[in-house]
Each structure stands twice: as structure tokens, then as C-alpha cells.
Amino acid sequence: MGGVGKTTLTKKLYNDTHVKTHFESCAWISISQEYGVRDLLQNIINCYMVLSEEDLKKVEKMDVIQLQHKISVYLREKRYLMVLDDIWTNQKWDALQDAFPDMNNGSRVVLTTRNKDLALHADAQSQPHELGFLNEEES
């Protein structure tokens, strides 16, 4: 459900000093339903990498597979944190996940979603953290 605090909680964790020092590279992408996969991958590149004008032009000409590969190569040797905020569909996750290498080095991809099935699809080994409503005293 929207408005229960998924993004707010994730932002608190993302901006925590201990979290920032644990990861070499951190990026936050807010996803809307209208974003295309290619646009999302280009945004991820822009969050992680500082590119020259020439390299930016090359990135603009890349297809989805090339963009995934560029991100994966860049992140392979790093401990990274990637937050994909408000992801809606399994298909979008499936198209993005190959960009994030799992090198067993403590890197993490965090998804916020209203869709529990998507969370389970993304990682069947982990139980999603579901936020419930706060009562008046808690809020």
C-alpha cells in the first residue's frame, strides 16, 4: 500500500553514516510506472559514474544489453548499494537485475514495492519486510 513509509524508512537507512561508509558506491533510483528499462539503466549509470561528454554520447547509443554490461563491469569490483524505489513489475526487475553482479562481497540491491510477489520474485531466499499501519501512539 502507498503511504505506509517504505520510501521514508529506506531513505533513513540509505542516508545513515554507517551505511554510507560500508559501501564504496551508493545510488538511488526512483522508478515510476512510465520509465522504460533503457532510461532506468542510463539513470543508474549517471548515478554511479562520472562520464565525459564523449562517453555520455556513447552511452546514449547503447542498447539495454550493453548498458547492463557497462553497469555490471563497473560494479563488479565494488561493494555497492542500489536502491530501486517504487518498482512495480517483475518484468522491470528481470530487465534490470543482470546489471547488478553478485560477487559475495556485501553488495546489496534494495527494492521498495507495493507488490509482495515482486519482492519474493526478486529474492525467494529473503522474507520481505512489510510495513503495516502505525497506531495513533506510534505515529
Side-chain angles (χ1 to χ4, degrees), residues 24-56:
E24 296 171 56
S25 294
C26 297
W28 180 291
I29 299 291
S30 296
I31 301 174
S32 75
Q33 293 184 59
E34 296 84 41
Y35 268 114
V37 171
R38 193 170 176 288
D39 293 332
L40 289 170
L41 291 167
Q42 284 181 321
N43 285 342
I44 292 166
I45 287 172
N46 291 334
C47 284
Y48 279 125
M49 302 174 211
V50 177
L51 301 175
S52 67
E53 287 294 321
E54 183 179 327
D55 286 338
L56 282 172

Side-chain angles (χ1 to χ4, degrees), residues 73-99:
V73 167
Y74 177 80
L75 295 176
R76 191 166 289 141
E77 300 301 320
K78 294 174 178 46
R79 184 169 39 216
Y80 64 89
L81 173 62
M82 176 75 250
V83 176
L84 299 172
D85 182 42
D86 204 19
I87 189 165
W88 284 77
T89 66
N90 291 2
Q91 293 81 9
K92 199 152 283 185
W93 168 246
D94 290 342
L96 295 173
Q97 71 177 341
D98 288 340

